[in-house]
């Protein structure tokens, strides 16, 4: 199966640091990300309720595909239609917003890159499932499920549920079955299932979570560790003294 080539662009002002090198360097059997991340202005005002931008206005603001690109993943920071955080537009374009999402991720110490990578995996599979194209939002699709399982195909009707698929995400058994029915090679699905396990939190925050979730055990481990360090340093000091 040929790898997809994805183009990431930024649309309008994005007030967050995103480590695009991490995204570009991510090794996947499913896709490569073009190494040039281009910026475009958003020169229109919102045309929907609650300051939201309609699919039409955003689709026109995103440039058309180059020949060697399978789909465009456009990052912005404005509210989207119906307050979604990502939407499939026409002409193989995806719009993705950090509006409200950056705060949700920050509250759980999840890097923004994790969410972007997770979406690149899910949309790449969608592209393959729908005969090498991204179905627009108006088309009826069935690749996502409403239940939140930590799966890359979680619908996340409640935006805050996205945290469950942004570290150690899975492809659940139902989605595995759907993908394999769509003529995607099983070996690729299995390998990508392993690949997405690399979407993790930083070590510091994993330790932070452990302490938060197991405070008493953490105190016991700290105590034992302190005693071991103390004993070891005493033994080493006694050995050193023997040389003098
Ligand atoms: Zn699933």
């Amino acid at each position: 199966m040929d790898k997809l080539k994805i183009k990431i662009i930024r649309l309008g002002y994005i007030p967050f640091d995103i480590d695009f090198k991490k995204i570009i360097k991510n090794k996947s059997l499913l896709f490569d990300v073009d190494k040039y991340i281009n910026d475009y202005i958003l020169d229109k005002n919102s045309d929907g309720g609650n300051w939201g931008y309609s699919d039409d206005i955003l689709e026109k603001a995103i440039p058309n595909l180059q020949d060697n690109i399978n789909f465009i993943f456009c990052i912005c920071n404005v509210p989207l239609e119906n307050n979604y955080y990502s939407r499939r537009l026409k002409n193989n374009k995806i719009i993705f917003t950090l509006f409200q999402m950056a705060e949700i991720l920050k509250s759980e110490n999840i890097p923004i890159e994790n969410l972007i990578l997770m979406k690149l995996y899910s949309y790449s599979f969608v592209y393959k499932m729908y005969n090498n194209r991204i179905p627009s939002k108006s088309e009826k699709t069935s690749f996502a499920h409403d239940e939140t399982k930590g799966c890359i195909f979680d619908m996340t009707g409640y935006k805050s549920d996205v945290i469950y698929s942004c570290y150690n995400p899975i492809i659940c058994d139902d989605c595995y079955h759907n993908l394999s029915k769509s003529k995607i090679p099983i070996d690729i699905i299995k390998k990508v299932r392993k690949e997405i396990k690399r979407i993790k939190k930083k070590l510091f925050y994993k330790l932070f979570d452990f302490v938060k979730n197991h405070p008493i055990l953490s105190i016991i481990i700290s105590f034992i560790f302190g005693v071991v360090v103390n004993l070891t340093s005493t033994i080493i000091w006694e050995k050193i003294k023997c040389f003098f």
Side-chain angles (χ1 to χ4, degrees), residues 71-182:
F71 67 86
I72 293 180
F73 188 85
C74 175
I75 301 170
C76 68
N77 189 41
V78 295
L80 306 185
E81 255 188 61
N82 297 325
N83 202 23
Y84 278 55
Y85 76 87
S86 72
R87 292 179 68 84
R88 306 182 312 272
L89 306 177
K90 293 175 192 162
N91 301 316
N92 293 319
K93 298 175 185 177
I94 305 286
I95 185 73
F96 166 89
T97 185
L98 288 166
F99 170 71
Q100 295 178 333
M101 302 312 290
E103 273 179 45
I104 291 170
L105 296 173
K106 192 177 176 190
S107 69
E108 291 293 325
N109 300 311
I110 297 170
I112 290 172
E113 301 84 42
N114 285 26
L115 175 57
I116 294 174
L117 277 172
M118 187 272 281
K119 296 309 289 181
L120 294 183
Y121 275 103
S122 59
Y123 282 126
S124 294
F125 272 133
V126 169
Y127 185 92
K128 286 291 177 190
M129 288 166 90
Y130 288 83
N131 294 320
N132 296 323
R133 66 186 189 89
I134 298 286
S136 72
K137 195 73 196 161
S138 57
E139 290 180 51
K140 200 167 181 187
T141 55
S142 58
F143 59 83
H145 42 72
D146 293 344
E147 186 187 2
T148 297
K149 307 179 188 179
C151 173
I152 63 171
F153 294 106
D154 283 356
M155 186 64 204
T156 54
Y158 292 102
K159 282 179 169 180
S160 54
D161 275 3
V162 81
I163 60 166
Y164 300 109
S165 46
C166 281
Y167 60 94
N168 302 328
I170 60 166
I171 295 169
C172 73
D173 290 341
D174 292 337
C175 293
Y176 178 90
H177 186 61
N178 281 345
L179 290 168
S180 50
K181 275 196 309 186
S182 308

Side-chain angles (χ1 to χ4, degrees), residues 10 16 89 92 136-137 142 171 190 197 211 225 231:
R10 286 175 291 219
F16 308 105
L89 306 177
N92 293 319
S136 72
K137 195 73 196 161
S142 58
I171 295 169
K190 283 181 180 170
K197 290 185 190 301
V211 172
F225 185 71
L231 274 174

Side-chain angles (χ1 to χ4, degrees), residues 193-221:
R193 253 184 163 176
K194 287 182 186 164
E195 260 182 40
I196 59 174
K197 290 185 190 301
R198 296 197 308 248
I199 301 177
K200 291 178 177 174
K201 282 188 182 184
K202 289 177 182 164
L203 179 62
F204 172 80
Y205 291 116
K206 282 198 274 186
L207 292 172
F208 181 81
D209 286 349
F210 181 84
V211 172
K212 196 169 72 176
N213 295 327
H214 308 91
I216 294 172
L217 184 59
S218 301
I219 291 169
I220 293 169
I221 291 171

